[in-house]
Amino acid sequence: LSLYSLTAIAGGKHSDVSSSDQDNHAGEVVRMSNETAIQNGISATPVLARDIALTSTLYGRISADPASLSHIRARFDGVIKDVKVNIGDSVKKGDILAVVESNESLKSYSITSPFDGNVIARHANNGELSNGQVLFSLANYKNVWAQLTVFSQMLSSIKVGQSVELSHAGFNQTSKIAYITPSADGNPHSLANVAVDNSTGYWPLGTLVKAQVTTSTKSVSHSVPLSSVQEYEAKQVVFVVEGDEYAPRAVELGVSDGHYIEVISGLEAGERVVASNSYIIKADLEKSEAGHDH
C-alpha cells in the first residue's frame, strides 16, 4: 500500500493526516498529537452501557398560575380616599394599595396586597365609590405553567409525574407533569400542565414552548454521545481513538435521547471514540481524500 502525508487545516489549527489507498478507504486514519487534539477541543469518551430516555414531543404555551392571580375588592362599600399604586407597580405582601372610608362607620381602612407581585389592572380613583367592584388585579409571574397539548392518540403514553424538558428561544428547563386536564376550549385534546420557574423572566405568558416528555427508558449495552456521530462517505460513523490515531468506524445506530445514542453494531464496549468536535476529524479525512484524488 502506498501511504502519503499532508498537513490539513482543521478549525484554524494544523494536524498531520495520513491516508491509505485501499478501496472504500477502509484504512483511513488521522494522526494527531494529544497537544493538537487539546488545541482543537477534541476529547474522547469510552463506549458505555446506559439508560436512554425515550421521549415524545409536545407543544404548548405558557399561562399564568391561577393561584398567583388576585382580583381585589373593598371589604366594605365606601369612598376611595387615596390610591397608592398604579398599573405596573411592584408590591410586597401587606403593602397598602388604597384607603377607603366606610359608608357605615365613616372610618377609613386600608386595602393591602395579599402577596408579592405586580399591579396588572387598576379600577380605583380618588373620590369614587368602591361598590363591590374589582379595584385592583395583582399577579405574580415568578411561577407559571406550561400547558402542553396532548392529542387523543398520545394519551396512553403521557402520564402525571413524567419528566419534561421545556425549551424556547435557547432557554431550557426541566420539570414534571403535575396534572392532566381536558381542554378548556372544548377541543378534542387534553392539556398536560407543567410547573415552570419564571424567576428569571425568560418564560413570559403566551410563549410557545416545545417539550420533550420522557415516556420510558431503554437500557442499551453500547452508547456514545450524539456529538460523536458524523456522516462520512454516505455512512454514519464515529472516530475510534487508539493512541494518536483517529479512525472512522461505520456504525448502526438505534434510539437517542438527544444527548446520547444507542450503537447497535460497529463498536465494542470500552473502545474510546471522539466525543467533541468530531467534525474536525471528518474535515481532515475529506481534505486528505481530495488531495489524493488529484
Side-chain angles (χ1 to χ4, degrees):
L1 299 179
S2 61
L3 295 179
Y4 71 95
S5 297
L6 55 86
T7 299
I9 303 232
K13 299 183 174 63
H14 298 275
S15 58
D16 292 332
V17 177
S18 298
S19 178
S20 75
D21 196 21
Q22 285 186 325
D23 290 341
N24 297 323
H25 314 288
E28 285 181 328
V29 64
V30 170
R31 290 191 176 92
M32 184 181 298
S33 69
N34 184 58
E35 179 182 1
T36 302
I38 292 173
Q39 289 175 346
N40 282 280
I42 294 171
S43 63
T45 188
V47 178
L48 297 173
R50 74 176 62 249
D51 289 338
I52 300 286
L54 304 181
T55 63
S56 293
T57 302
L58 300 179
Y59 295 90
R61 291 189 180 276
I62 297 297
S63 63
D65 179 359
S68 297
L69 287 172
S70 181
H71 303 293
I72 300 170
R73 294 175 169 83
R75 293 195 307 274
F76 310 106
D77 287 346
V79 178
I80 300 170
K81 305 297 289 185
D82 191 10
V83 178
K84 302 289 188 181
V85 295
N86 210 337
I87 294 176
D89 287 352
S90 296
V91 294
K92 298 292 186 182
K93 181 178 180 179
D95 281 357
I96 297 174
L97 306 178
V99 177
V100 177
E101 182 184 87
S102 170
N103 287 340
E104 293 187 4
S105 66
L106 300 182
K107 292 183 178 179
S108 296
Y109 65 92
S110 298
I111 300 173
T112 60
S113 173
F115 52 71
D116 295 356
N118 293 89
V119 180
I120 61 171
R122 167 185 159 175
H123 306 286
N125 292 297
N126 292 346
E128 293 180 344
L129 298 176
S130 59
N131 289 345
Q133 67 179 352
V134 172
L135 301 181
F136 304 97
S137 293
L138 300 184
N140 184 335
Y141 294 138
K142 290 183 179 180
N143 297 295
V144 294
W145 289 90
Q147 293 191 311
L148 309 175
T149 300
V150 185
F151 293 104
S152 56
Q153 63 268 29
M154 303 181 70
L155 273 175
S156 61
S157 61
I158 304 299
K159 307 292 183 185
V160 171
Q162 289 173 335
S163 179
V164 180
E165 185 173 344
L166 298 166
S167 62
H168 90 93
F171 301 114
N172 297 276
Q173 186 172 149
T174 300
S175 188
K176 293 182 181 296
I177 295 177
Y179 59 96
I180 297 174
T181 58
S183 172
D185 56 16
N187 287 331
H189 61 256
S190 298
L191 297 173
N193 296 272
V194 179
V196 179
D197 178 1
N198 190 37
S199 55
T200 59
Y202 295 156
W203 304 85
L205 300 187
T207 297
L208 179 65
V209 294
K210 179 180 179 181
Q212 297 293 336
V213 181
T214 299
T215 54
S216 62
T217 58
K218 179 182 180 182
S219 296
V220 302
S221 58
H222 299 71
S223 71
V224 297
L226 192 58
S227 56
S228 297
V229 180
Q230 294 289 334
E231 184 173 338
Y232 178 63
E233 296 184 342
K235 295 179 180 178
Q236 297 294 307
V237 304
V238 298
F239 297 99
V240 178
V241 183
E242 292 187 11
D244 64 352
E245 294 186 346
Y246 299 76
R249 181 85 61 81
V251 289
E252 182 183 357
L253 302 174
V255 298
S256 173
D257 62 2
H259 304 287
Y260 293 91
I261 191 165
E262 175 189 14
V263 180
I264 297 173
S265 64
L267 291 172
E268 297 296 330
E271 285 190 296
R272 297 175 71 243
V273 301
V274 175
S276 60
N277 290 349
S278 57
Y279 69 90
I280 294 177
I281 308 297
K282 172 186 172 180
D284 277 357
L285 286 175
E286 290 175 337
K287 288 172 185 175
S288 70
E289 174 63 18
H292 181 66
D293 287 343
H294 292 290

